[in-house]
Amino acid sequence: QVQLVESGGGLVQPGGSLRLTCVASGSIFSIRVMGWYRQAPGKQRELVAGITSGGSPNYVDSVKGRFTISRDNAKKTVYLQMNSLKPEDTAVYYCNSPSPYDPRDLGRYSTTLYNWGQGTQVTVSS
């Protein structure tokens, strides 16, 4: 089965940057769309960014222009570069594969293919 491991979170001041990394096991990663989700306290988990196997990205409006999703299929890895971070970005961030993938699901929960990893905590605070 595919296993997902997220890393790169931490505590950062508003306006700062972080780069999250997701490493996936298994052979399906290279042909599957991948996405980053986040869940803030008291909020539903939401899809904030998705990227197709060919590298085409989509973002929820709240992170557009600040976050960049990318992937390295050879390394079975997906990244989320987060710039100009805001306190509202504080959440646990997870990666997974939306299935099926629909960009209209950005900003809300979508059905996912794999089991959830542990996620990585991002805290934006002054």
Side-chain angles (χ1 to χ4, degrees), residues 20-40:
L20 307 185
T21 298
C22 169
V23 179
S25 67
S27 61
I28 299 178
F29 176 87
S30 64
I31 59 174
R32 288 291 308 170
V33 62
M34 292 295 296
W36 283 97
Y37 298 74
R38 68 185 181 188
Q39 187 166 23

Side-chain angles (χ1 to χ4, degrees), residues 11-91:
L11 175 64
V12 65
Q13 296 184 55
S17 297
L18 288 170
R19 192 184 196 195
L20 307 185
T21 298
C22 169
V23 179
S25 67
S27 61
I28 299 178
F29 176 87
S30 64
I31 59 174
R32 288 291 308 170
V33 62
M34 292 295 296
W36 283 97
Y37 298 74
R38 68 185 181 188
Q39 187 166 23
K43 302 294 184 181
Q44 187 172 326
R45 194 170 300 184
E46 65 171 340
L47 177 66
V48 299
I51 184 167
T52 68
S53 62
S56 181
N58 292 103
Y59 306 93
V60 66
D61 286 346
S62 61
V63 309
K64 195 172 298 181
R66 301 187 297 118
F67 290 10
T68 302
I69 187 171
S70 60
R71 66 191 294 162
D72 186 333
N73 289 338
K75 296 181 179 180
K76 298 182 179 180
T77 301
V78 61
Y79 306 95
L80 187 67
Q81 178 67 46
M82 305 184 295
N83 299 325
S84 302
L85 283 162
K86 304 175 179 179
E88 65 196 75
D89 297 318
T90 295

